Amino acid sequence: MAKKFSRSRVGDVRGGQLVHTYGVGSIIDLPNISAMMMGLDSWGTADWDPNSARTAIPEERLLRLVRSHLGGQVERLCGAPIPEGGNDVIRDPYNPVGAPIAPFPRWVRCPRCDLLAPLDFGVFELKTNPYQPDRARYVHANCPRWSNAPAVIPARFVFACEHGHLSDFPWHAYIRHANTECRGPLRLSERGVSTEAADLWLTCDGCNQQKPMAQAFGRNANLPPCPGQHPHLGPKYQAPCTAEKSKAMLAGASNLWFPLSISALSLPADVNELPNLLEEHWPVLQEVEDLGGLKLLRKIGQLQPFSRWTDEELWEALGEKNSGSTEEEEPLTLWKIKVDEWEMFSNPAESPSTKDFRLTEVGSPKGYESLFSRVVLVERLRIVKALIGFTRIGSPGDFGDATEMPKIRRAPLGRSLPKWVPASEVRGEGIFLQIDNGALEAWLKEPSVQTRVEELLEAHYEFRRARNITPAKDDFEAGRFGLLHTLSHALIRQFAIECGYSAASIEERIYAADSSHEDGPMTGILLFTAAADSEGTLGGLVALGDPEVLGRHLDQALERARLCSSDPLCSEHEPVPDGRTLHGAACHACTFVSETSCERGNKYLDRSFLVETISSACTPFFGGRSGD
């Protein structure tokens, strides 16, 4: 049954969703089936080879960063599984090519007779339609209460722990049969007007034992220890688990899967055009072994971008790049990735342009000249994201960098060390704003600002202690980052009103470091949008960077930040060191944005950093100095 399912096409997702929405280990809710995306060991078919150079996404800086997390054996970043034959092959229902999935949870319930059993119980059949994959479903073939074989539904409950393990809910262990030899059959019935856990009862036909499902979520649930399963690595995979406690969860819970993804902007590799072209086409060119191979590629029309160079010149350039790639790579961090980006954005006149990167500096808005030292229009931008793992229950957003996440809490992408990781590339546009470092440091010296920053720092330290992040006291610059982060959110919400993009499609990138840092000072924000389709390159966001237009939006964003519909409660909120919250005057009504937009999970936000609020606790950076 499982073998048949693995050859059946049951739905479609976009390529980018394999990195941030439906990646390895996540649960996909199809119309009639709940399924799990399988590990990388299960990927690859006769029509799609993840180890082929044709499937690789070139981005050397991101690949080096991935290797620093997963090991030097990672050879490439791989795009979505699309057959080399083109889209016509995808439309062939009898030749499905895509990411492999398997049914999960394996326990299902018949809505007619309430039978609760695993799919291999012997009474469920898979029904598929090759021309309508969304109609794939399991049916209860011999249901005693319905002659038309009703479609069964997945069980709503699963069993998970913070170490990334996930398994079917321990139904037999939970009901505690009156007879220890009893194994059902079990039924899950509704005994109330709602479908909440309080109205669901688990009963056993064999020993007449029954128990309400509400007790599975109480403090005295008395559930067994975590079995250490990773269903995305196969139904028989099991490893010892040292988690202190496992918990019952709903299969659709938002904290059941968090992607551990990293991204990098594609920056020009050199001021000269040829090295940049080599980088772009490297997945194919790196397979060339001699000059004859180049001549063959030229003959079949694969070297059109290199028409200005002879085969001999191109071969010499390949040799130089190959000699450089064989040298031992220095460890690369997310911080270094950002430093490279900062150097480009803060020196737009010296930054080369390519088809995926183009900067244009414009003047600062009137009235803000003393606060903004540079405004740069990012007319072309390419962003590559890669999935390096995932977590359950605990969000990676609680950590400043993926390196801070304990390895025991990261679930692997496969049984063996991966030689490739799923990735996606999108193109778009953006605006880079550089705050004047002198003005920012003068503001940070204000006594009221220092008091507020100390409160935020104490909350930051307690937050790290509560999550066993070491060291608890780091060198985080709460004031500098908090100001930049709050301004970024205020502009995201404001830009979305006029630029044509939704607020959820605009992302931020914060560059913060003081003068004492070896890579500082950095005081800037990049707001960008990118998509695989036209919504990354409409030009609406870049148009807002015009000095006059940007000044108007800054005025409006700051004015909207002065008053929140949740005031005075919002403005009175303080960064209390309780280990749970990490923000001041901020909430969903005024400052928070979607998780896809925010770099730090809506933390380190405070409207009082920007403007005077009802209960201002510090001198605002823009107080009395806006362009009004």
Side-chain angles (χ1 to χ4, degrees):
M1 188 179 299
K3 212 169 185 181
K4 180 181 178 182
F5 184 89
S6 67
R7 294 197 303 265
S8 302
R9 182 183 173 197
V10 294
D12 298 281
V13 298
R14 296 192 301 272
Q17 290 180 307
L18 296 179
V19 174
H20 56 75
T21 308
Y22 299 125
V24 172
S26 67
I27 294 179
I28 303 177
D29 287 323
L30 301 171
N32 300 296
I33 294 175
S34 177
M36 172 161 290
M37 187 67 66
M38 299 302 289
L40 299 186
D41 304 297
S42 304
W43 293 47
T45 64
D47 298 295
W48 183 79
D49 182 9
N51 296 310
S52 169
R54 294 181 178 274
T55 65
I57 295 178
E59 182 50 54
E60 186 63 28
R61 294 165 62 248
L62 183 59
L63 180 58
R64 287 176 56 196
L65 183 58
V66 170
R67 286 171 177 162
S68 68
H69 288 285
L70 301 182
Q73 81 286 340
V74 181
E75 299 175 354
R76 59 180 52 84
L77 310 174
C78 192
I82 298 175
E84 297 185 4
N87 290 336
D88 290 338
V89 179
I90 284 185
R91 297 191 186 100
D92 181 0
Y94 294 102
N95 187 22
V97 176
I101 61 174
F104 188 86
R106 297 287 302 177
W107 284 68
V108 295
R109 171 179 172 265
C110 175
R112 295 293 178 177
C113 66
D114 295 333
L115 176 65
L116 180 70
L119 288 172
D120 56 5
F121 193 63
V123 297
F124 303 118
E125 295 181 6
L126 175 65
K127 301 290 185 181
T128 61
N129 186 328
Y131 295 99
Q132 292 179 298
D134 58 300
R135 300 191 65 179
R137 67 198 186 280
Y138 279 95
V139 299
H140 187 184
N142 298 309
C143 178
R145 296 187 181 180
W146 193 258
S147 58
N148 292 331
V152 296
I153 57 178
R156 293 169 49 189
F157 306 97
V158 293
F159 200 44
C161 78
E162 289 190 346
H163 290 180
H165 296 126
L166 182 68
S167 59
D168 284 291
F169 186 82
W171 298 101
H172 288 292
Y174 175 70
I175 196 172
R176 296 187 177 276
H177 296 280
N179 180 356
T180 56
E181 302 296 328
C182 180
R183 283 296 179 267
L186 303 178
R187 299 190 186 276
L188 187 63
S189 57
E190 302 172 2
R191 298 186 182 180
V193 296
S194 73
T195 57
E196 296 181 356
D199 292 332
L200 293 177
W201 284 75
L202 181 65
T203 59
C204 175
D205 290 351
C207 60
N208 296 322
Q209 189 77 351
Q210 57 182 336
K211 195 172 185 179
M213 289 304 302
Q215 293 184 14
F217 297 90
R219 293 184 178 180
N220 300 320
N222 197 18
L223 296 173
C226 175
Q229 294 180 348
H230 282 309
H232 68 286
L233 302 182
K236 296 183 179 180
Y237 180 89
Q238 194 165 355
C241 179
T242 58
E244 296 181 359
K245 187 178 181 181
S246 299
K247 58 189 300 186
M249 300 182 65
L250 296 179
S254 60
N255 63 339
L256 198 59
W257 185 83
F258 292 103
L260 195 58
S261 60
I262 51 180
S263 64
L265 308 182
S266 293
L267 304 179
D270 197 281
V271 294
N272 299 315
E273 183 179 0
L274 181 55
N276 294 321
L277 283 175
L278 288 177
E279 184 70 29
E280 180 181 346
H281 298 276
W282 185 243
V284 174
L285 292 176
Q286 68 177 343
E287 304 295 333
V288 177
E289 298 180 352
D290 51 35
L291 187 59
L294 277 180
K295 293 182 181 296
L296 178 60
L297 288 178
R298 179 90 67 180
K299 187 174 182 179
I300 62 177
Q302 295 296 315
L303 297 181
Q304 293 181 359
F306 301 92
S307 58
R308 292 168 48 193
W309 295 273
T310 65
D311 293 338
E312 289 72 17
E313 291 173 335
L314 185 54
W315 177 249
E316 182 180 357
L318 281 175
E320 294 177 358
K321 181 169 177 58
N322 272 317
S323 62
S325 61
T326 56
E327 297 177 359
E328 185 176 352
E329 294 181 346
E330 295 182 3
L332 192 62
T333 63
L334 182 59
W335 176 262
K336 178 56 178 173
I337 289 277
K338 282 194 170 185
V339 170
D340 293 342
E341 296 168 0
W342 166 264
E343 291 177 351
M344 286 285 184
F345 292 128
S346 59
N347 297 283
E350 301 178 5
S351 300
S353 297
T354 66
K355 74 170 189 176
D356 289 326
F357 191 80
R358 180 185 295 171
L359 305 180
T360 301
E361 184 174 2
V362 297
S364 298
K366 183 179 179 180
Y368 294 92
E369 294 90 348
S370 62
L371 303 179
F372 291 94
S373 58
R374 181 169 282 109
V375 177
V376 180
L377 306 182
V378 187
E379 298 176 347
R380 292 185 178 180
L381 195 64
R382 175 176 176 262
I383 303 97
V384 182
K385 297 183 179 180
L387 182 70
I388 61 173
F390 63 90
T391 66
R392 303 196 191 278
I393 301 178
S395 169
D398 293 343
F399 302 84
D401 189 352
T403 57
E404 294 183 341
M405 171 73 71
K407 290 186 178 180
I408 197 172
R409 295 180 59 178
R410 306 183 206 173
L413 295 177
R415 287 176 175 263
S416 57
L417 294 176
K419 293 186 177 180
W420 62 275
V421 295
S424 68
E425 61 177 338
V426 290
R427 289 170 171 81
E429 56 176 320
I431 301 175
F432 173 76
L433 302 175
Q434 183 176 346
I435 302 291
D436 184 81
N437 187 62
L440 192 149
E441 290 190 346
W443 173 75
L444 288 172
K445 293 178 181 178
E446 293 282 345
S448 60
V449 175
Q450 292 179 347
T451 301
R452 188 67 167 180
V453 170
E454 285 297 325
E455 294 174 352
L456 186 57
L457 268 177
E458 284 300 319
H460 169 73
Y461 296 152
E462 187 58 35
F463 187 86
R464 292 172 66 88
R465 292 190 195 98
R467 287 154 183 78
N468 297 319
I469 305 175
T470 55
K473 290 189 175 183
D474 58 358
D475 56 355
F476 180 66
E477 300 177 47
R480 183 181 299 264
F481 186 90
L483 171 67
L484 295 172
H485 198 200
T486 310
L487 176 62
S488 174
H489 280 219
L491 287 175
I492 287 176
R493 295 170 68 98
Q494 176 62 32
F495 284 167
I497 298 175
E498 187 171 316
C499 71
Y501 302 110
S502 65
S505 66
I506 303 177
E507 298 182 50
E508 68 180 2
R509 216 160 170 88
I510 311 296
Y511 304 91
D514 64 18
S515 302
S516 63
H517 197 284
E518 61 178 349
D519 297 310
M522 293 196 300
T523 53
I525 59 176
L526 172 67
L527 301 180
F528 66 95
T529 184
D533 54 17
S534 60
E535 195 189 343
T537 56
L538 296 177
L541 189 57
V542 165
L544 301 186
D546 177 80
E548 183 177 349
V549 178
L550 180 59
R552 172 168 54 85
H553 279 289
L554 279 168
D555 292 343
Q556 294 177 0
L558 295 177
E559 186 61 34
R560 288 162 60 91
R562 298 182 197 278
L563 186 65
C564 172
S565 59
S566 296
D567 279 340
L569 294 178
C570 177
S571 61
E572 292 176 350
H573 187 277
E574 297 183 357
V576 181
D578 56 4
R580 295 193 301 271
T581 59
L582 270 177
H583 63 84
C587 69
H588 287 281
C590 62
T591 315
F592 290 179
V593 296
S594 66
E595 292 182 2
T596 58
S597 300
C598 184
E599 195 175 79
R600 292 298 294 268
N602 285 317
K603 301 178 181 68
Y604 311 106
L605 298 168
D606 196 335
R607 289 185 292 125
S608 64
F609 283 167
L610 302 181
V611 294
E612 185 177 354
T613 63
I614 293 178
S615 304
S616 289
C618 69
T619 302
F621 182 74
F622 292 96
R625 293 181 287 186
S626 69
D628 294 342

